Amino acid sequence: VLTDKAQLTAARRRRNLPERFILFVSNLHPRKNLAGLLRAMHQLPNRHRDVALVVVGRELNLPPATRHLLVELGLGGRVLFTGYLTTEELVCLYNLAQLFVYPSFFEGFGLPPLEAMACSTPVVTSNTSCLPEVVGDAALTADPNNPEAMAECICRILDDQELAADLRQRGLRRAAMFSWQRAARQTFNVYAALTGFPMLNEGCNLAAPTRAGATP
């Protein structure tokens, strides 16, 4: 979580970001469901028509159907494509966003929702694939095939500051449960259980420094 207002203000100015925006971090592969998110944006009521969508990530060619959808829904002026950002810039955008939306149809794991949570940003994501397991009770979920349901979740967060604050705190706690240390330990223990090798306990630090010249 960033508290340096000057850093955040500089990031907003550098990217010419609006005051209120929804963040989407992904490439433009169809399974990421940008089209569904655009339709959800179109469903937002008039009181939230000033809310923009900022799309961050490695760029692929925007499919013609998606280009047509932007025009058809009249969203051209409310969607900003930033392309790839440095880690520092991305963290700033997570901190500046009103909420993070990840309407993917399926994921192998899905890191961006946890990244958003680690920045205390409320999350809306899909209720399919592994995403409900990843976010637990720390996010709102909706059917990625139902833009109206996704828009309803977005509105709930934009309209309810108490809900947004609660999701921020839940998200921080949820993100703290995940780490590469823990993932490595659990992976090691799967192999240990199969081979009879002693398992590692929670207190074991896999990144502990070793003696100079020694192999871990």
Side-chain angles (χ1 to χ4, degrees):
V1 180
L2 296 181
T3 58
D4 187 337
K5 292 185 178 180
Q7 182 181 8
L8 293 173
T9 298
R12 188 187 297 277
R13 289 176 177 170
R14 183 165 55 248
R15 291 288 171 176
N16 195 28
L17 300 174
E19 187 63 29
R20 297 206 303 164
F21 66 89
I22 293 166
L23 186 63
F24 173 66
V25 177
S26 175
N27 60 44
L28 301 182
H29 190 283
R31 72 180 173 88
K32 300 297 187 176
N33 195 23
L34 175 59
L37 180 51
L38 294 177
R39 292 188 175 95
M41 288 287 295
H42 183 65
Q43 294 288 330
L44 296 182
N46 287 334
R47 67 181 180 278
H48 295 313
R49 289 300 171 94
D50 65 316
V51 177
L53 173 64
V54 176
V55 179
V56 176
R58 187 175 58 222
E59 293 187 60
L60 299 175
N61 290 329
L62 194 63
T66 305
R67 293 183 185 276
H68 293 320
L69 187 61
L70 275 170
V71 175
E72 177 187 336
L73 299 178
L75 293 173
R78 294 174 59 196
V79 181
L80 171 64
F81 294 88
T82 70
Y84 176 82
L85 297 182
T86 65
T87 299
E88 182 182 79
E89 286 183 300
L90 179 57
V91 170
C92 286
L93 265 65
Y94 274 129
N95 278 266
L96 287 166
Q98 265 57 53
L99 66 150
F100 175 79
V101 183
Y102 201 66
S104 180
F105 289 119
F106 63 90
E107 292 291 327
F109 181 79
L111 278 175
L114 287 178
E115 292 177 343
M117 289 178 176
C119 294
S120 190
T121 304
V123 171
V124 174
T125 191
S126 302
N127 62 4
T128 58
S129 186
C130 62
L131 290 165
E133 182 180 355
V134 170
V135 300
D137 66 352
L140 300 186
T141 61
D143 182 351
N145 292 292
N146 188 336
E148 292 82 2
M150 194 70 65
E152 182 179 346
C153 288
I154 292 170
C155 283
R156 286 181 61 193
I157 294 174
L158 293 175
D159 289 334
D160 190 337
Q161 293 304 307
E162 289 187 6
L163 173 61
D166 182 53
L167 289 174
R168 291 179 190 277
Q169 293 305 312
R170 288 173 181 264
L172 286 171
R173 291 194 295 270
R174 184 69 179 177
M177 295 173 61
F178 295 83
S179 70
W180 290 116
Q181 262 298 320
R182 187 179 184 194
R185 186 184 303 112
Q186 290 178 338
T187 302
F188 180 93
N189 284 341
V190 169
Y191 287 104
L194 293 173
T195 61
F197 201 82
M199 292 190 180
L200 301 175
N201 59 39
E202 287 291 327
C204 179
N205 182 5
L206 295 178
T210 57
R211 187 177 67 257
T215 55

